[in-house]
Amino acid sequence: METEEPSGRRPTPEEARAALQAAQSAQTDAAAALRPPWWYFASLAALVAVSPLATQLPSTVAGITAFIVFMLLWLTAFGMTLRLFISRAGLVPRFSREQTRRVWLCMIAVGALGTAAAVLKLGFDQNWAMIAFAEILAVAILVIGLFGGRRASA
Amino acid sequence: MTTTGEPADGFDTTIHAPNRLRICALLDAVESAEFGTVQQQLDVSASVLSKHISVLMDAGYVAQNKAVRDTRQRVWLHLTETGRTAYQAHVAALRAIVGDPGD
């Protein structure tokens, strides 16, 4: 290992194949290390599940102050969850163009549903909409996260 | 015949050393990786990894950022654009040797 400098000659097909396999193995190991643990999805789901509490606060000075404090705490907890995962994994994920496209599609879909729920609450006083949206999203994060992880490791 | 640097067909002897190939492969799969994680993944000593990282940094293929967290300094490594291009060209050259056109 210490003296592994290449000789400068080109590898044989067998050596090249072994090198490709070693590279593939390193990438597979990295992908496995990047798989988020159960607590990551549980934390995200919990954060999403409690988020409707912010919409239940009264429109008073105290209520608005509480809303701001709640949002600051929520964003801090969200950031800490992401940071803890990256810190423990020791790796920062890199998304391919296709993965980035999927993330954007997912965010657009969630944003559209969230907007619809907000319109139902604000325009039609349907308070249940925001709560239902958040709870369904929380369950989806948990199920997709845990199921996706299991499928990837299978 | 190529011995160093980036020959026309992409075969790169700087990258081809087994541990350096694995380092580049790992870094190609992520945005950045912490030194200790790379060491753990490759199962090499810190001194061996440092030596290979130095070679890759001298070639302009890898760069590092130092961050202090909980009073402990952590070194994060990432492939530069040059490094990513060189690694991908090297893999393509290996595939050509094997006779696999790849994706």
Side-chain angles (χ1 to χ4, degrees), chain B:
Chain B
M1 180 62 73
T2 59
T3 53
T4 58
E6 297 176 66
D9 74 346
F11 184 82
D12 191 320
T13 52
T14 302
I15 292 175
H16 192 62
N19 277 330
R20 289 203 287 274
L21 179 67
R22 292 167 67 211
I23 292 167
C24 289
L26 192 155
L27 293 180
D28 184 53
V30 297
E31 249 342 290
S32 59
E34 204 261 325
F35 185 94
T37 302
V38 178
Q39 187 190 339
Q40 194 180 354
Q41 294 271 330
L42 267 59
D43 195 22
V44 294
S45 68
S47 61
V48 167
L49 181 58
S50 284
K51 191 185 80 174
H52 290 302
I53 293 297
S54 293
V55 173
L56 290 167
M57 285 177 70
D58 288 346
Y61 292 167
V62 167
Q64 65 178 26
N65 295 319
K66 291 179 180 175
V68 178
R69 184 166 163 77
D70 300 331
T71 69
R72 191 171 140 237
Q73 191 177 62
R74 302 180 80 183
V75 177
W76 287 81
L77 307 165
H78 65 270
L79 276 184
T80 61
E81 276 308 305
T82 309
R84 203 174 293 283
T85 304
Y87 168 73
Q88 286 166 0
H90 182 70
V91 168
L94 289 176
R95 285 201 176 117
I97 292 169
V98 171
D100 172 13
D103 295 331

